[in-house]
Amino acid sequence: MVLHHRSRYGRYAGGPDPLAPPVDLSEALEAVAEDVMAGYSPRHALEEFLRRGGRNRDGLDQLAARVQQRRKDLLGRHRLDGTLDEVRKLLDTAVLEERKQLARDALMDNTDRAFREMQLQNLPASTAAAVNELASYDWQSGSAREAYERIKDLLGREVLDQRFAGMKQALENATDEDREAVNGMLRDLNGLLDKHRRGEDTDADFREFMARHGSFFPENPQSVEELIDALATRAAAAQRLLQSMSPEQREELMRLSAQAFGSPELMAQLDQLDSSLRALRPGEDWSGSERFEGQEGLGLGDGTGVLQDVAELDSLAEQLSQSYNGSALDDLDLDALARQLGQDAAVTARTLAEIERAMRDGGYLRRGADGDLRLSPQAMRRLGKSLLRDTAKQLSGRQGRRETRAAGAAGDQTGSSRQWEFGDAGPWDVTRTMTNAIRRTVAEGRDPGRGFRLGVGDIEVTETEARTQAAVVLLVDVSFSMAAEGRWVPMKRTALALHHLVSTRFRGDRLQLVTFGRYAQSMDIAQLTALPALREQGTNLHHGLLLAGRFFRQHPSMQHVLLVVTDGEPTAHLLADGDSWFNWPPDRETIRATVTELDRLGRAGVQATFFRLGDDPGLERFIQRLARRIDGRVVAPDVGGLGAAVVGEYLRAHVRSSYGGSDWDL
């Protein structure tokens, strides 16, 4: 006999998928870095990204808005007199059936009939008062008696459903034995809670209680504390339900509750339960209320469930706000979020929490000496790589441009090769490039004999023994006009892209970043990235050129390359005592000092390129004159193309020096 085993596969439901790929941090890192470059702290930038979300993912604000809309919908759809309406309908049915029976009963004494008619005719307008008045009425109609008994049954199930979700349906058509089982459960529950309040209960007491009455608790609590938590949450919601009613509705229901199952003992047990839960969980909201404005009537149990939902939504709103001390997205109740907004919301929140955790714990943010979070070197490298990739796309997409090279290489070939990277100027290793393409084509299951395409990853370039090294100074204007005109972040993105290119591809080069405002200052890439925009007047190009000259003198054997990014004429220069002299319009002495230092760099053979931002005619004329003095170049990119322009000029200068002065047109 052969046994056939079948396996069934479905969506993993045991928490986060252990086989899921790691969360993609590229978008988060770029967004955080963009805000950091704009002047935000990394902590605030990360919080803002989590609030905004990504291109294809909601953020905390969108989830919070959905939570508020769900809350509004619940309160706007319902009203709280559903139980009163049901009782009134059953009462009307009982009275109508009784009158029909009285009219049909010819054997009844006329006096008795008249008395009964008068009693039915003069019932109080209050539903509760009418139900209570008919408690001792001797019904002549069996259907009328049945309708009246259903009132007591309904009230009993409703008041139990307030404390134990699902009880209304579970006790429908219940027998006397079923009701006695409920009373027994309540007696044992109150006894257990009373012992717990006195500190006399044991684990055995809880296990014994659950063994006898566990079917009443679908939540399957694992301890008496979990049991109390579940009961107190619903009991508090039931109390808020009563306080959300009008005084007339509340009074009617309180009077009607005496008729629940026709059992005063039931209400006494429930009152004792409420008292114990209030004492055990005073932190629950026992005094709140809500305003229901809809048309869909709710019974006591359903209304209590809605208010539980409202309380859960309020808790989610607080968690999503992240406004309390020590808040973190790990605090989010994903199960509650899935219940209220659907599984997609829980997945979104889990992903945001993973992003926050990965950014904080994955080495992308680190604490500085002052205790504040900062972008780590790892984050800077990843961001620089991304920015350089964007710059490469801009360069390769320029229409009508092509690369031209002079024959020969910058050094003898070593016989080895490596994968091509952006900025490589060496010749291809054709044999290895073609071999890589053929291997990839075969691995993809295609026949290379029928043709194949080269991919970027296939290309290998020949290594050479020697390359001309360059000492590069990127001088960037940090006067306030750069920030005011929207050039602040593009300037930083440019510096990051160039820094990554030099540090990864041209490791033999040396790059110095120099900022110049009222004063000039040499900075590392992390300092420049985090530099806030200062409302400080002054464009001290003179001081920047002095620092550039000092750097070049430290690397005398290298090719000297100067890249200057500015949007204004020099308005400050450094005095002999180290102070900065500022004047607007530009002072003659400031211009003289700037030109003198530039001439000194020109005589030392510096290759200079000026990147002029903006359309000011005066700046254009001035920059052109500066460039002509030292045989430099002027580039006037739009702000979005600044990175491509600077990287392109660096490569142009580097390749020109490597190939004996040949032009490399990017």
Side-chain angles (χ1 to χ4, degrees), residues 501-513:
L501 176 62
V502 173
S503 60
T504 59
R505 172 61 189 90
F506 296 98
R507 294 188 178 93
D509 288 359
R510 293 294 177 264
L511 174 65
Q512 179 70 64
L513 303 174

Side-chain angles (χ1 to χ4, degrees), residues 23-165:
V23 64
D24 182 10
L25 293 179
S26 56
E27 184 182 11
L29 180 58
E30 290 177 16
V32 168
E34 192 82 4
D35 283 348
V36 168
M37 288 188 286
Y40 292 95
S41 70
R43 182 195 303 278
H44 183 67
L46 177 58
E47 291 172 353
E48 282 299 304
F49 173 77
L50 296 173
R51 304 217 69 82
R52 294 192 307 262
R55 287 184 293 270
N56 300 310
R57 181 184 297 112
D58 284 347
L60 296 179
D61 285 345
Q62 289 91 340
L63 290 177
R66 290 174 62 185
V67 164
Q68 291 302 324
Q69 186 59 49
R70 164 89 171 141
R71 189 184 196 280
K72 181 179 179 181
D73 290 345
L74 286 174
L75 298 178
R77 186 190 316 150
H78 298 111
R79 53 189 175 84
L80 298 180
D81 55 358
T83 298
L84 289 174
D85 279 351
E86 285 191 71
V87 171
R88 170 55 69 181
K89 289 176 183 177
L90 288 171
L91 179 62
D92 290 344
T93 298
V95 171
L96 178 61
E97 292 300 318
E98 181 70 4
R99 284 176 173 168
K100 289 179 180 179
Q101 182 62 39
L102 293 177
R104 289 192 299 265
D105 196 347
L107 299 178
M108 180 177 290
D109 179 76
N110 289 337
T111 301
D112 186 33
R113 179 187 293 112
F115 177 76
R116 290 173 180 275
E117 287 282 3
M118 183 177 65
Q119 188 175 2
L120 296 175
Q121 182 69 32
N122 294 315
L123 286 173
S126 164
T127 300
V131 170
N132 288 332
E133 185 169 313
L134 292 174
S136 58
Y137 181 80
D138 181 18
W139 298 93
Q140 300 300 299
S141 167
S143 58
R145 183 182 300 106
E146 180 184 352
Y148 184 79
E149 292 299 323
R150 284 169 59 195
I151 291 175
K152 294 189 289 185
D153 179 73
L154 170 67
L155 290 170
R157 289 186 292 123
E158 286 281 15
V159 295
L160 285 171
D161 204 39
Q162 276 189 289
R163 278 76 171 185
F164 307 93

Side-chain angles (χ1 to χ4, degrees), residues 244-261:
S244 300
M245 295 178 177
S246 67
E248 295 78 12
Q249 290 173 332
R250 188 161 52 248
E251 182 180 359
E252 287 279 278
L253 283 172
M254 296 300 293
R255 294 174 64 184
L256 281 171
S257 62
Q259 296 295 329
F261 286 150

